[in-house]
Structure formats: structure tokens, C-alpha cells
Amino acid sequence: MADEVSLLDYWPSMFGMRTKMALAEKGVAYEYVETDPWVKTPLLIEMNPIHKKIPVLIHKGKPICESLIQLEYIDEVWSGTYPMLPSDPYQKAQARFWADFIDKKFYDPSWKVWGTKGEDQVAAKKELLEHFKTLETELGDKTYYGGEVFGFVDIALMGYYSWFKAMEKFGEFSIETEFPKLNEWTKRCLKRESVVKAIADSDKIIEYAYALRKKFGAE
Amino acid sequence: MVTGDVKLIGSWASVFVMRARIALNLKSISYEFLQETFGSKSELLLKSNPVHKKMPVLIHADKPVCESNIIVQYIDEAWSSYGTSILPSLPYDRAIARFWAAYIDDKWFIALRSILTAQGEEEKKEAIAEVEERTEHLEKAFIECSNGKPFFNGDHIGFLDIALGSFLGWWRVVELDANHKLLDETKTPSLFKWAERFCNDPAVKPLMPDTANLAEFARKLFPKPQP
């Protein structure tokens, strides 16, 4: 029932996009509540008092925060269909490791490459390319990071897809040229309805990135 | 039980390594502990964790698992019929435990460590205030999660107890360094009592490092600038 599940999210958020993909893959109906995280509404503060950030998944009135935690929750609650995580403990640990790598290592330079200037930006670009290379190597010749199945790690990384063009523009590199396997993988993912419906327009993201650059003083 | 098959790369002083060891103890798994030498990284560590080059690394049947909270979950799942459950059984409770474990590593620990690395009294005072504020959040989390029981996980030590409890040795060391109570019986009474119960648990007791030894190690890791 749609009234059981809501998602507080903001249209450009790579984290919100992950949760939208996961809910769509599981066929879960939900109410989408556009929430600007720069404006701390009473609902946002009530549902995420610690971080006051989006996305927040609300199920039967109870909030779940942090996108990767939301993905695991969605996988466990709606376990009857389309498993996102493998059942084998070792494979599961590997999936968690790579999702954690994406947030722990990839995230920081992925925004600094468009959100900073000068030396900071140069350093961010170098680091970002290293992490893209690691992700390209890890994908290898697999169809998806999950093997034959579009899964947890694929969703974790595809959440960033809308921002790839902004990263390429400000970082002055091309994913197609430098990371061809990853590039092909994005095309496979983009065939999925859950992905297409979740992502934002890459050019609108670039506009948004410009606005944030001004806000951060990088412009 | 393929116990000959389990190795753990780590160090006696590491909070993150302790998490894995507590989990293995809870499941009564024997393992070979491969102690790293301070200041260098072994070939096996670099080979088993090429991405981060950090400990702990659990090697089970020659397959490495990295990142302490991921290792703890792996241990719970690979040996699910052994000992007590480390993660809560309900999806919502698991999400809450994971949320607070992430908070501990991303926010609380960073604040604790910044006391040790603070330059000057002003910075130290700010870092202490931040730790106190964040510890109060954890006090509330304990009250909600424990629901009147002795541990975050209920009757037995679990994921969140391990995530926070492994810090208790360092918590004491930083208290001494700051000359300021950071786990205060009056400010966070539930956590204060929980800490004692946690340290006395048979899975934890043999692993908690001696405060004096740890303080000496801390001086090596965080040398103070000479006046």
C-alpha cells in the first residue's frame, strides 16, 4: 500500500536515486515527498534528527536513514522478489565491501571535482580517476557488479550516474574513453525501467552543480 | 566446524580488529591471530586487502573479508547456527543498529580522535564538547535499542555493542589525555553501566587491552609536539 511507504528525497540526490531504484525493482509503491535538504523542515528534523539529511525512507511511520542501510532494509522486508544481495555470506560481504568503498572513497572526490577549485580540484580529479579505475577493474568482464544479476553494488554506483556528466565536464575526462567497461555497464543498467525512472537529467545536474559551486565559493 | 581454516590479521591495540575478535569469540570460533608489526604492513595484509591495505582482514578458507563491521556481519551469517545472534532479527532493528554503527564510526570516533590530535587548549575544549554531545546521542540510542535489557542487542552482546564497546580501551586513554571524564556516570548513566557489563562479558574480557599499555601505544601513534 502506497500509504505505508514514503520517501523524503531531493531530485538531484545520488543517494535518493539508489533508494528509488531499489523500491522500483521490488515493485513497492510509495509516496514521494520532495524535500530540499538545505531547508530543514519539521518533518525532516523529526524523521532524521541526527543528520537532518535526505533520503529518509518511512515505513509504517518509522524512519530508516542512510541509503545503503535503506537498500538492505528494502531487501530484507520485501525479500520474496528480486534479491539485491546474494544469499552466500562471502558474496554478500564482497557486495557490502564495494558499496562501502563507493561511499567511503569514491564519494568525496566525486563532488570535490566539481565543487572545488585550484589545487583541491586537481587533487580530487586525480583521486577520482584512481577510484574509477578500481571500479573498472572490479567490474571486469562481468555483466553487472552482482555477476549476472543487477544488484546492490550496481544500484549503489548507478545512484551516481546522473552526476557522471558533471564529473566529466569539471574533471575534463571521458568515462567512455578511459573506462570503457564501466561505460558499457551503464548502458546495460539504463535498459532497466527502475534506473531510467530514478535518475535525473544530467544537464539539469550540471546546472545544479554550477549553482552549488557559487554557493561553495568555487565559482 | 572448519576452525583450522580461519585467520585474522590484526593488532592487539586496534578497535576495529577487536570487533572481529569479539564476534569470533561469541561464535566460539578458533582462529590463528596474525599480529601485524607496528610501522609496517605484511605481504599477506597487502595481498588480502589491496584496496585499503588496512586491518582487520578475516581470511576464511583462504578468502579475505575486509572492513570490521562487514567482517562482524559475515561471522554472524557464516556461522549463523553457532552461539548467539549478533545482528537483531527484525529488519527495522537491524537498520537501527547499522545506523548507529555508522554514526559511531563516521561521527563519534572522528570527534574522539580529534581530542588526541587537537592543537592547543581551545581546539581540545571544542573536541571534548563535540564528543560529549555525540555520546549523549548514543545514550538515547542505548535506551531505545536496549528496551530495558542489559545490552544494545538485548540480553546478549550484539553488533552495536561490539561497534561501540570495542572503543572502551581507547575511550579511557583519551579521557586520561584530556584529563576530563568522557564516559560520565551522571551525564550518561545507562552507557556508563553498559560499559562495565560489556567489559566483563567473557567474549570481551580477554581482549580488552590494558589502559597503561594502550596509553603508551597512543603516545607512539599520536606523538605530542615538543615544547
Side-chain angles (χ1 to χ4, degrees):
Chain A
M1 277 192 298
D3 56 359
E4 275 199 347
V5 185
S6 335
L7 181 68
L8 307 185
D9 183 28
Y10 191 42
W11 71 271
S13 166
M14 62 280 275
F15 304 113
M17 288 181 216
R18 291 166 165 178
T19 310
K20 287 193 287 196
M21 282 177 211
L23 288 166
E25 288 284 337
K26 295 281 191 180
V28 177
Y30 62 97
E31 187 200 356
Y32 180 84
V33 182
E34 187 73 20
T35 307
D36 184 338
W38 301 101
V39 177
K40 309 291 177 193
T41 61
L43 180 61
L44 180 61
I45 295 171
E46 187 198 336
M47 290 294 151
N48 191 355
I50 296 295
H51 301 302
K52 303 177 183 65
K53 285 182 174 177
I54 52 89
V56 183
L57 179 72
I58 306 170
H59 185 207
K60 297 185 184 175
K62 297 202 282 193
I64 300 105
C65 305
E66 301 298 301
S67 61
L68 294 181
I69 295 175
Q70 289 160 2
L71 258 48
E72 292 223 39
Y73 177 81
I74 290 165
D75 206 31
E76 287 165 14
V77 170
W78 291 278
S79 56
T81 170
Y82 170 62
M84 288 191 289
L85 275 165
S87 53
D88 172 70
Y90 182 73
Q91 296 304 330
K92 202 182 266 197
Q94 294 304 101
R96 286 179 176 141
F97 174 87
W98 285 107
D100 175 75
F101 170 83
I102 289 163
D103 281 359
K104 218 175 245 168
K105 295 284 189 184
F106 182 84
Y107 169 67
D108 223 37
S110 80
W111 77 261
K112 283 180 175 163
V113 77
W114 55 260
T116 61
K117 58 182 178 184
E119 270 174 33
D120 289 340
Q121 190 182 33
V122 170
K125 180 190 167 175
K126 182 170 182 274
E127 206 189 324
L128 182 65
L129 292 177
E130 273 166 26
H131 296 326
F132 261 119
K133 184 158 185 247
T134 302
L135 290 166
E136 169 93 346
T137 307
E138 174 54 26
L139 177 66
D141 294 319
K142 295 198 292 278
T143 310
Y144 299 109
Y145 281 93
E148 287 309 305
V149 174
F150 176 76
F152 190 68
V153 181
D154 302 282
I155 294 178
L157 189 54
M158 273 310 275
Y160 284 87
Y161 175 77
S162 311
W163 288 85
F164 281 176
K165 204 170 176 186
M167 292 178 213
E168 286 174 304
K169 180 186 170 65
F170 289 97
E172 292 171 334
F173 66 95
S174 155
I175 291 172
E176 186 177 2
T177 313
E178 301 193 44
F179 311 109
K181 290 182 176 170
L182 206 127
N183 193 56
E184 287 306 307
W185 163 81
T186 64
K187 290 184 189 162
R188 285 192 287 277
C189 295
L190 286 165
K191 290 199 176 114
R192 301 183 78 83
E193 200 183 333
S194 66
V195 173
V196 169
K197 291 217 166 121
I199 58 177
D201 179 85
S202 295
D203 292 321
K204 289 210 169 87
I205 292 286
I206 290 175
E207 261 177 57
Y208 181 67
Y210 268 117
L212 284 182
R213 272 176 70 81
K214 285 206 183 82
K215 199 171 184 151
F216 299 161
E219 195 78 8
Chain B
M1 182 156 68
V2 272
T3 55
D5 223 352
V6 184
K7 299 181 174 62
L8 183 73
I9 306 176
S11 152
W12 64 275
S14 162
V15 166
F16 306 105
V17 171
M18 195 186 311
R19 289 175 175 169
R21 299 181 82 180
I22 294 172
L24 288 164
N25 282 358
L26 285 171
K27 300 288 189 180
S28 303
I29 304 295
S30 339
Y31 60 97
E32 189 187 352
F33 185 58
L34 301 169
Q35 168 83 40
E36 286 283 297
T37 310
F38 177 65
S40 70
K41 294 180 196 251
S42 68
E43 276 298 310
L44 184 62
L45 174 63
L46 297 173
K47 186 181 130 197
S48 315
N49 191 356
V51 174
H52 299 302
K53 305 177 177 60
K54 283 182 174 177
M55 58 170 119
V57 182
L58 180 80
I59 306 175
H60 183 201
D62 294 325
K63 295 196 287 192
V65 182
C66 307
E67 294 302 298
S68 62
N69 287 337
I70 294 175
I71 293 171
V72 171
Q73 292 181 86
Y74 173 79
I75 290 167
D76 198 30
E77 290 156 11
W79 288 283
S80 55
S81 56
Y82 293 57
T84 50
S85 255
I86 297 176
L87 272 282
S89 49
L90 296 176
Y92 187 72
D93 296 336
R94 293 154 75 85
I96 295 299
R98 287 174 177 139
F99 173 86
W100 286 112
Y103 178 81
I104 286 160
D105 282 358
D106 298 340
K107 298 281 180 191
W108 182 86
F109 164 56
I110 303 302
L112 187 76
R113 194 175 58 186
S114 66
I115 294 176
L116 285 178
T117 58
Q119 304 289 317
E121 277 314 301
E122 207 44 57
E123 225 179 90
K124 197 171 240 184
K125 266 196 204 153
E126 277 171 25
I128 290 171
E130 210 163 56
V131 171
E132 285 182 327
E133 191 194 324
R134 291 173 186 188
T135 306
E136 276 173 33
H137 288 312
L138 294 174
E139 170 84 359
K140 287 196 194 108
F142 177 79
I143 293 165
E144 277 169 30
C145 295
S146 64
N147 212 16
K149 301 243 170 121
F151 298 106
F152 281 93
N153 201 43
D155 291 313
H156 307 286
I157 282 184
F159 184 68
L160 192 47
D161 300 279
I162 294 171
L164 185 61
S166 313
F167 277 104
L168 282 162
W170 280 94
W171 208 328
R172 281 188 216 111
V173 165
V174 179
E175 260 187 349
L176 290 172
D177 182 86
N179 195 27
H180 185 101
K181 266 196 213 169
L182 293 171
L183 184 57
D184 193 313
E185 193 168 3
T186 50
K187 290 184 184 164
T188 54
S190 306
L191 276 185
F192 188 86
K193 291 187 202 99
W194 161 84
E196 211 176 304
R197 287 194 292 270
F198 181 84
C199 290
N200 283 325
D201 189 280
V204 175
K205 208 162 181 178
L207 298 172
M208 196 56 78
D210 172 73
T211 308
N213 289 345
L214 202 55
E216 196 189 319
F217 182 80
R219 283 190 280 277
K220 266 197 276 184
L221 206 55
F222 300 100
K224 299 287 177 196
Q226 295 306 309

